[in-house]
Amino acid sequence: MRAAVLGGGAWGGVLAWLLAGRGHEVALWEPDGSAAEALARQRTNARSVAGFRLPDAIAVSTDLPAVCRDRELIVVAVPSQFVRVTLGTAAPAITGAPVVVCASKGLEPGTGATMAEVVTASLPGARAVVLSGPSFAQEIAAGLPAALVAASTDAGAAGVVQSCFGGERLRIYTSDDVVGVCVGGALKNVIAIAVGCCDGFGLGESARAALITRGLAEMGRLAVRLGGQALTLAGLAGLGDLVLTCTGDLSRNRQVGLALARGESLPAVIAKLGHVAEGVGTALTARDVAKRLGVDMPITREVAAALHEGKPARDAFHDLLARDVRPER
Ligand SMILES: NC(=O)c1ccc[n+]([C@@H]2O[C@H](COP(=O)([O-])OP(=O)(O)OC[C@H]3O[C@@H](n4cnc5c(N)ncnc54)[C@H](O)[C@@H]3O)[C@@H](O)[C@H]2O)c1
């Protein structure tokens, strides 16, 4: 297929590499001029995963419409707050009904929209698919085995993604629960910040397991309220990605939590990471969406307060533990 990948960061680079390796013709859009030049000349840049080399066959450009013209498959891997503007800019160059795969994980700030909603609103003619599940770009680039989920209301489009990306070491499952998959991918990052903080404070493995489990419960409540299926949250895009992000030291969101526990300021943590940590913005957006919809999300609420309202992280944990006990739901 003729494919375009939008975003030449850690994940976009690896997704482009996967597609090229399966024989697809790939053009890669990188908006940052110097990063694009480094990718084009050295086949790597500061956001690439360590040791990663972009295949020579992949054309790199900063020209978004040119990259998107006449493409049957378009993959979006930019931070979630930029998905709408990126696709909006690309839209005039996109013709026909390409399969548009969103690999970004988050809720859109301001609107609270899922990534699938943003893709559909930006490109009404596109066949939208959400690609999610437990995946560290570094590990996929190293050829380690993994399993992802391609979710779409268009089973044919999900099947296209399954065959384009899938291979011996990368199993792609399909799902029709787009909402559940979007919510899982977005919210696991918020819970991972809480878990990083919990581990940073040395609160123990029992507390970590409790946070992961209760985090999953609140992710499920939001997904169901938005029209998703509770069982999806027990799958790759829910529990699978949640466990990876909460416990894997390659997780940037976990790193944010660990740094907060060390008393580092949020701007300092973000500057040090150099890559997007989607949970930081999603915490606030999800907290607001949950409040609007009357969904109880205490962990998300406390993470948002600790990140954005100056609440000391220790007080956030104290308030979580001080809530009334109730039946487990
Ligand atoms: N890294 C992973 O292992 C991984 C795995 C699965 C999903 N994701 C998701 O993929 C998305 C991208 O993550 P990443 O790790 O590649 O991040 P990254 O920080 O490595 O790269 C971000 C990319 O977005 C581009 N970008 C920055 N500002 C932009 C703007 N204003 N408009 C458009 N593009 C802009 C950057 O130039 C870069 O190409 C995130 O939503 C993340 O949650 C990442």
Side-chain angles (χ1 to χ4, degrees):
M1 292 182 92
R2 285 171 54 77
V5 175
L6 312 184
W11 196 219
V14 169
L15 292 174
W17 165 78
L18 274 175
L19 287 172
R22 284 150 178 54
H24 303 288
E25 183 192 321
V26 185
L28 178 62
W29 174 69
E30 170 50 56
D32 177 325
S34 60
E37 190 168 327
L39 270 177
R41 284 175 192 269
Q42 299 147 26
R43 313 310 289 177
T44 184
N45 69 26
R47 287 183 187 269
S48 301
V49 307
F52 176 79
R53 191 178 190 283
L54 195 70
D56 293 338
I58 297 176
V60 181
S61 171
T62 55
D63 185 339
L64 182 55
V67 164
C68 291
R69 208 159 283 130
D70 297 328
R71 298 285 152 173
E72 301 149 285
L73 180 73
I74 297 174
V75 182
V76 193
V78 300
S80 54
Q81 73 265 36
F82 304 128
V83 170
R84 191 183 294 268
V85 68
T86 299
L87 292 180
T89 308
I94 297 174
T95 48
V99 171
V100 176
V101 185
C102 192
S104 311
K105 295 175 179 174
L107 295 177
E108 189 180 51
T111 67
T114 63
M115 288 300 101
E117 288 172 327
V118 173
V119 172
T120 306
S122 309
L123 300 171
R127 305 170 72 196
V129 180
V130 174
L131 184 64
S132 196
S135 46
F136 283 144
Q138 288 92 323
E139 294 188 346
I140 308 297
L144 297 174
L148 301 178
V149 58
S152 181
T153 52
D154 177 337
V160 168
V161 174
Q162 189 176 41
S163 59
C164 282
F165 286 99
E168 213 176 276
R169 302 202 134 219
L170 187 58
R171 293 176 62 78
I172 312 279
Y173 291 78
T174 58
S175 167
D176 60 5
D177 184 9
V178 177
V179 172
V181 167
C182 283
V183 170
L187 268 295
K188 54 97 189 183
N189 287 327
V190 178
I191 306 303
I193 293 174
V195 170
C197 222
C198 173
D199 287 352
F201 284 140
L203 298 182
E205 293 180 10
S206 305
R208 179 204 287 172
L211 259 184
I212 291 174
T213 313
R214 295 310 297 157
L216 187 63
E218 67 182 58
M219 288 163 62
R221 283 198 289 272
L222 183 64
V224 168
R225 179 66 179 78
L226 290 171
Q229 298 158 28
L231 211 53
T232 302
L233 277 296
L236 292 165
L239 182 62
D241 212 357
L242 181 65
V243 168
L244 179 76
T245 313
C246 288
T247 61
D249 282 331
L250 288 173
S251 161
R252 298 168 203 158
N253 293 284
R254 174 176 163 77
Q255 293 300 336
V256 169
L258 286 166
L260 284 184
R262 289 193 296 268
E264 294 176 29
S265 74
L266 185 58
V269 178
I270 291 173
K272 207 161 67 180
L273 278 179
H275 292 266
V276 62
E278 291 274 23
V280 173
T282 295
L284 204 55
T285 308
R287 193 265 317 261
D288 293 346
V289 171
K291 192 172 174 190
R292 176 161 44 87
L293 299 177
V295 179
D296 188 28
M297 300 189 72
I299 302 172
T300 301
R301 206 165 52 231
E302 294 300 336
V303 171
L307 290 172
H308 300 288
E309 288 162 1
K311 182 169 184 175
R314 275 194 194 278
D315 292 357
F317 274 103
H318 175 270
D319 289 353
L320 263 182
L321 291 168
R323 289 172 312 122
D324 288 343
V325 282
R326 61 184 79 185
E328 185 184 30
R329 270 180 290 116

